[in-house]
Amino acid sequence: RRRASGRPVLAPRCAAVEAGAAPLVVVVGLGGVGSHAAQLLLRGGVVRLRLVDFDQVTLSSLNRHATATRADVGLAKALALRAALLAIRPGAEIDARVSLFNAAAAAELLGGPVALVIDAIDDIATKAELQVHCFRAGLPLLSALGAGGKADCGCLHVAPLADVLGDPVASSVGKLVRAAEPAGGDWWRSLDQRVECVYSSEKQRVGLLPMPAGARKES
């Protein structure tokens, strides 16, 4: 019991945390990566989370989502995950935002003294927008890259975007980030060094199954 209500084991740092406040972590994208990240953060002692996703739980979500059950199908992912996390830690502060992340909504969705932003988005253009916003706003960001068709956890790495090798998601995001560069600047070189990424160096073992006709892409 004391462990469940004790100080955070995983405590991202920011000015608010240094002043004694609980860290606020924002998770953008609540699919197979983001839902697990949010649950593990909560279990590790991070009790202030903001969950951002526009999508709903579907039957196809259930094989990879951290907490969703059949009862959640049709519910907004952010609201379903919030309910599950509060069942684990009733006193937690879980802010659920049923919203699509984009540049226009970034200031509202990422506002406040944020200790860490976790990028668990699977759309390349949106991922690039998030990286650019966090860089310009000075927000610490941990970005999840591609791991579909991979299984060797010994090949996982955490590195700055500039040091990521052989990851097609990193290459695609990098091109979009460079395209957003203002005339006469090369700020993206600094972004490449400041954005931390989780990625796998494993060669893809199998291809992914095609999306069913008419199915929506999920985060």
Side-chain angles (χ1 to χ4, degrees), residues 202-218:
E202 181 185 7
K203 298 232 173 169
Q204 191 171 11
R205 295 185 176 193
V206 295
L208 302 180
L209 292 173
M211 292 281 286
R216 292 183 305 167
K217 188 174 185 181
E218 299 177 16

Side-chain angles (χ1 to χ4, degrees), residues 34-85:
S35 62
H36 283 273
Q39 180 187 212
L40 290 171
L41 283 167
L42 184 77
R43 292 185 185 279
V46 177
V47 295
R48 295 184 67 219
L49 292 167
R50 182 177 299 154
L51 311 175
V52 180
D53 199 306
F54 73 97
D55 209 356
Q56 297 177 340
V57 177
T58 64
L59 283 172
S60 64
S61 305
L62 301 183
N63 70 340
R64 59 189 178 278
H65 196 278
T67 63
T69 67
R70 279 183 171 266
D72 296 317
V73 171
L75 298 178
K77 287 182 177 179
L79 298 179
L81 183 57
R82 179 180 186 272
L85 296 183

